[in-house]
């Protein structure tokens, strides 16, 4: 993986240089051309260039080591933020989630700018891959030393092994998705000294994903 990461970073850097040059050229064209139709086409071109650059950046970010800027954060506030963000990002799917938060008095030390997208990625996978009938359960609780967040998602079918869950990047590749989301999520959780584990309950036909994070020290 270190060799792959180095290659992807360099390739993305080189391609972004070309994209930046194309963006400058298209900006110049927008200034000198006349006609509303031509200007509109240049606008679309610049949007495509920008989107391609953003996609390259997302790949290099997903492969990078998570570097935290931690801050004190109440677990209850973090859960509220997670619910609100899911409502914005997945307005049609998020009503399927049944919440059970029992961590009102727990405090965390986290980087919310990284941990929030990591947990959202778990829900995005739940919405995207063979969702079954019924609600998705999201439970937050503490066990005295840890914050434990569990997602239970019904599945129509599940034929994958969970032994190396989130440790096998670049396996499930399709257009616009490169098998890096879960890998990145695991990296962020582990950077917080936490754990991410998954198992499939055959009897209930349910994928159970658990994120465990240490609580902040008292005071």
């Amino acid at each position: 993986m270190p060799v792959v990461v180095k290659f992807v970073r360099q390739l993305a850097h080189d391609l972004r240089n070309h994209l930046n040059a194309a963006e400058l050229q298209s900006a110049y064209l927008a200034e000198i051309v006349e006609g509303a139709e031509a200007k509109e086409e240049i606008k679309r071109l610049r949007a495509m260039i920008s989107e391609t650059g953003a996609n390259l950046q997302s790949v290099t970010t997903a492969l990078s080591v998570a570097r935290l800027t931690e801050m004190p954060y109440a677990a209850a506030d973090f859960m509220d933020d997670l619910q609100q963000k899911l409502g914005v990002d997945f307005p049609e799917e998020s009503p399927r989630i049944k919440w059970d938060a029992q961590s009102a008095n727990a405090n965390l030390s986290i980087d919310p700018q990284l941990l929030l997208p990591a947990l959202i990625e778990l829900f995005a996978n739940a919405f995207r891959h063979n969702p079954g009938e019924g609600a998705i359960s999201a439970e937050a609780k503490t066990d005295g030393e840890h914050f434990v967040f569990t997602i239970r998602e019904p599945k129509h079918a599940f034929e994958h092994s969970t032994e190396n869950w989130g440790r096998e990047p670049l396996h499930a590749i399709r257009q616009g998705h490169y098998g890096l989301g879960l890998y990145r999520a695991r990296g962020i959780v582990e950077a917080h000294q936490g754990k991410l584990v998954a198992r499939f309950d055959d009897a209930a036909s349910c994928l159970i994903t658990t994120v465990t994070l240490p609580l902040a020290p008292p005071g």
Side-chain angles (χ1 to χ4, degrees), residues 2 6 11 13 57 66 73 81-82 99 115 121 159 162 168 178 180 188 193 196-197 199-200:
K6 183 178 180 181
L11 177 63
H13 175 77
Q57 183 62 48
Y73 222 95
D81 293 344
L82 179 59
W99 296 88
L115 190 58
E121 177 65 24
E159 300 176 352
T162 58
E168 298 176 322
Y178 311 106
L180 294 172
I188 291 171
Q193 305 303 312
L196 188 156
V197 297
R199 66 181 181 87
F200 186 71

Side-chain angles (χ1 to χ4, degrees), residues 165-181:
W165 200 245
R167 293 191 177 95
E168 298 176 322
L170 308 175
H171 276 226
I173 295 179
R174 57 190 176 87
Q175 184 174 1
H177 298 277
Y178 311 106
L180 294 172

Side-chain angles (χ1 to χ4, degrees), residues 23-160:
E23 165 62 22
L24 289 174
Q25 193 68 23
S26 61
Y28 174 68
L29 288 174
E31 293 180 359
I32 63 174
V33 301
E34 298 181 359
E37 184 176 353
K39 288 183 178 294
E40 189 63 27
E41 289 301 318
I42 293 174
K43 182 179 179 180
R44 291 194 184 96
L45 173 63
R46 297 182 69 180
M48 288 187 289
I49 293 172
S50 177
E51 182 179 1
T52 302
N55 288 341
L56 284 171
Q57 183 62 48
S58 69
V59 171
T60 54
T61 297
L63 288 169
S64 65
V65 176
R67 303 189 183 279
L68 308 184
T69 303
E70 295 183 69
M71 60 184 292
Y73 222 95
D77 293 340
F78 183 69
M79 287 293 97
D80 288 341
D81 293 344
L82 179 59
Q83 291 183 53
Q84 292 178 20
K85 182 63 173 172
L86 283 167
V88 172
D89 291 355
F90 301 96
E92 296 183 3
E93 297 90 343
S94 59
R96 290 186 57 204
I97 305 172
K98 182 180 179 181
W99 296 88
D100 181 11
Q102 306 170 21
S103 55
N105 297 322
N107 291 305
L108 304 170
S109 180
I110 60 173
D111 185 335
Q113 299 300 319
L114 291 179
L115 190 58
L116 193 63
L119 295 191
I120 288 174
E121 177 65 24
L122 302 182
F123 284 99
N125 283 341
F127 300 143
R128 185 183 302 128
H129 301 299
N130 298 318
E133 300 296 331
I136 296 172
S137 168
E139 178 188 59
K141 63 181 182 180
T142 60
D143 63 6
E145 296 182 352
H146 300 91
F147 170 77
V148 183
F149 184 67
T150 304
I151 302 172
R152 292 177 173 85
E153 48 180 294
K155 290 293 186 186
H156 279 306
F158 190 83
E159 300 176 352
H160 305 285

